[in-house]
Amino acid sequence: MRPPLKWTAATLSLLLTACGGGSATPEDTDATVSEASSGEAESLADFFGYGNEDPEAAQANYRDQEARIQEAIRVCMAEQGFDYQPILPPEESFQVWDESDEEERVRTQGFGITTWYGNEDQFTGSEWVDPNQESLEAMSETQQQAWYEALYGTPEEQEEDMTTEVDSETGETIHYSTGYGAGCQGEAYEAEYGDQGDTQALWEELQPTMDAMYQQVQADPRIVEANQDWSACMAEAGYEVESRERMWETVHQDFQTRLDAILGPNGGFVDPFEGWTEDEINAFFEEKTQEEIDAFFREAEQARTANIDQEALAALQQEEIVMAVADWECAADMNDLYQEVSEEYEADFIAQNQTILEQIREAQGG
């Protein structure tokens, strides 16, 4: 499993929201549907090699990739004179989403917006310890800084990998990485997955065409009809939602806002070391036993949850689950239909943009 490509994010978003609308009318798309249906039955997932991999094979592939990356990091760090123990999370953290598990997930986690709170283990898996932690704690501050700079790059190297943009709607300044980062970790991921910089411009060139293609998918008569059926079904369940897309545009913000109101500032997080000096914090970890440290954090956790209205939280989480179940039941085979229709249009898209897509596939390791 590789880091998600830009097209997969768009595909996933549309797969989950599979809603009516789009700029074209059903009549406008008839010719396009006919043309798309005549293309080769190959999806973008198949083209990039993600289409036919079963969950167990995907898990094994992901574990193998992570093992290769971690070994590459170890070798790189050793070449710079640093000891690094490969980090491989527990087996369950490699779980790959399986459609057969979807109903259970929805009935226990809803949309996953509020239900994570109080159920962190359910979402993150069992606790694991960084095998490098003990040796890091034995280092001086200068040694630690050198170790981290070898692993992640110097601040200057990290800055070179960052891009800043301003959201045109909110005015918010957004900082994000344009690659895999610097240092040994960045080098290892780039060696495994290819140079993201080589493909970014190509994806940006294709993006307008891809957006237009998925608008055609949304306006396809089969998808329009499926969305109308979904909306009617949701109305029977007590939800007046004009489209699945509209639901996704509002549901996250609504539930998140109400969760924040219950938890308080910073999602209920309270820094147990607030007001402490760095020397006091260091002395705490040096002088206390592990049992005393664990007890300290347990008390901090209890204090964090003491003022939270647990009844209101449970009610909100149950409300989310009920709505998510209604959506899942109303969607029925909608996702399968959306995938089927999308693949028809994607086949034409691949045929029309074969050269660029092959360049991207080659740059990302074939």
Side-chain angles (χ1 to χ4, degrees):
M1 180 187 301
R2 304 177 187 214
L5 305 172
K6 193 169 186 179
W7 69 264
T8 56
T11 304
L12 178 60
S13 174
L14 288 162
L15 174 64
L16 294 175
T17 57
C19 53
S23 58
T25 65
E27 292 78 10
D28 293 332
T29 63
D30 286 345
T32 306
V33 171
S34 176
E35 294 170 3
S37 300
S38 66
E40 294 182 10
E42 182 177 31
S43 67
L44 284 167
D46 291 331
F47 183 86
F48 285 99
Y50 309 133
N52 299 314
E53 196 170 30
D54 65 72
E56 290 187 3
Q59 286 178 240
N61 184 40
Y62 183 34
R63 286 195 299 270
D64 290 345
Q65 286 181 314
E66 284 299 307
R68 289 196 299 270
I69 289 168
Q70 289 297 314
E71 176 59 17
I73 294 174
R74 186 197 67 76
V75 171
C76 176
M77 293 289 284
E79 290 174 348
Q80 299 186 53
F82 298 101
D83 180 53
Y84 176 87
Q85 298 298 317
I87 302 173
L88 287 176
E91 192 77 10
E92 58 267 29
S93 67
F94 290 104
Q95 293 297 318
V96 178
W97 178 78
D98 187 339
E99 189 174 359
S100 63
D101 300 329
E102 180 67 1
E103 180 176 3
E104 180 182 357
R105 185 194 66 78
V106 169
R107 293 187 184 281
T108 57
Q109 301 178 12
F111 296 120
I113 303 169
T114 69
T115 52
W116 64 267
Y117 189 86
N119 301 287
E120 286 83 353
D121 289 344
Q122 181 180 357
F123 284 80
T124 60
S126 60
E127 183 178 353
W128 59 282
V129 179
D130 182 350
N132 297 287
Q133 190 61 39
E134 185 175 345
S135 61
L136 275 169
E137 291 175 353
M139 296 180 188
S140 67
E141 185 174 340
T142 301
Q143 291 172 325
Q144 287 181 1
Q145 181 178 350
W147 190 90
Y148 281 120
E149 288 187 354
L151 180 60
Y152 301 119
T154 64
E156 293 75 19
E157 290 171 335
Q158 294 179 37
E159 186 65 28
E160 290 177 2
D161 191 57
M162 299 295 291
T163 294
T164 301
E165 289 185 358
V166 177
D167 190 306
S168 58
E169 295 183 1
T170 66
E172 179 185 5
T173 300
I174 303 172
H175 303 277
Y176 63 93
S177 174
T178 56
Y180 299 109
C184 288
Q185 179 172 277
E187 290 179 11
Y189 274 95
E190 183 173 320
E192 181 69 26
Y193 297 125
D195 185 354
Q196 190 174 11
D198 289 345
T199 62
Q200 186 67 29
L202 296 175
W203 279 121
E204 290 176 356
E205 182 180 341
L206 286 177
Q207 197 64 42
T209 308
M210 293 181 66
D211 291 342
M213 174 188 66
Y214 286 121
Q215 286 175 6
Q216 291 177 327
V217 174
Q218 297 286 57
D220 184 282
R222 292 163 292 179
I223 299 300
V224 171
E225 181 180 1
N227 280 298
Q228 291 171 345
D229 292 342
W230 174 87
S231 183
C233 177
M234 289 293 284
E236 291 181 3
Y239 301 98
E240 295 295 332
V241 190
E242 63 186 49
S243 70
R244 209 174 184 202
E245 179 182 33
R246 182 57 181 163
M247 181 193 73
W248 278 107
E249 288 175 351
T250 59
V251 69
H252 187 277
Q253 181 177 356
D254 175 54
F255 279 111
Q256 186 63 54
T257 299
R258 293 159 66 190
L259 176 65
D260 291 342
I262 293 173
L263 299 184
N266 301 318
F269 174 75
V270 177
D271 183 359
F273 296 108
E274 184 176 0
W276 293 36
T277 65
E278 184 174 349
D279 289 340
E280 289 172 335
I281 294 173
N282 291 335
F284 171 83
F285 284 105
E286 291 173 359
E287 298 169 2
K288 300 293 184 181
T289 65
Q290 187 60 51
E291 290 76 12
E292 290 173 326
I293 293 173
D294 292 342
F296 173 80
F297 282 108
R298 280 197 300 271
E299 292 175 5
E301 176 65 16
Q302 292 170 357
R304 179 173 73 93
T305 59
N307 296 323
I308 294 176
D309 187 335
Q310 296 296 329
E311 289 187 4
L313 175 62
L316 179 64
Q317 291 174 331
Q318 183 60 28
E319 180 183 340
E320 177 190 336
I321 289 173
V322 170
M323 185 175 186
V325 169
D327 168 58
W328 183 83
E329 292 178 342
C330 288
D333 298 327
M334 203 170 177
N335 288 348
D336 291 337
L337 173 64
Y338 191 88
Q339 180 175 348
E340 176 186 340
V341 174
S342 295
E343 288 179 356
E344 295 177 4
Y345 290 89
E346 287 178 4
D348 266 5
F349 176 82
I350 293 170
Q352 295 164 7
N353 300 277
Q354 187 90 16
T355 301
I356 294 179
L357 290 170
E358 287 179 350
Q359 290 174 356
I360 294 172
R361 183 169 61 184
E362 182 179 355
Q364 296 184 171

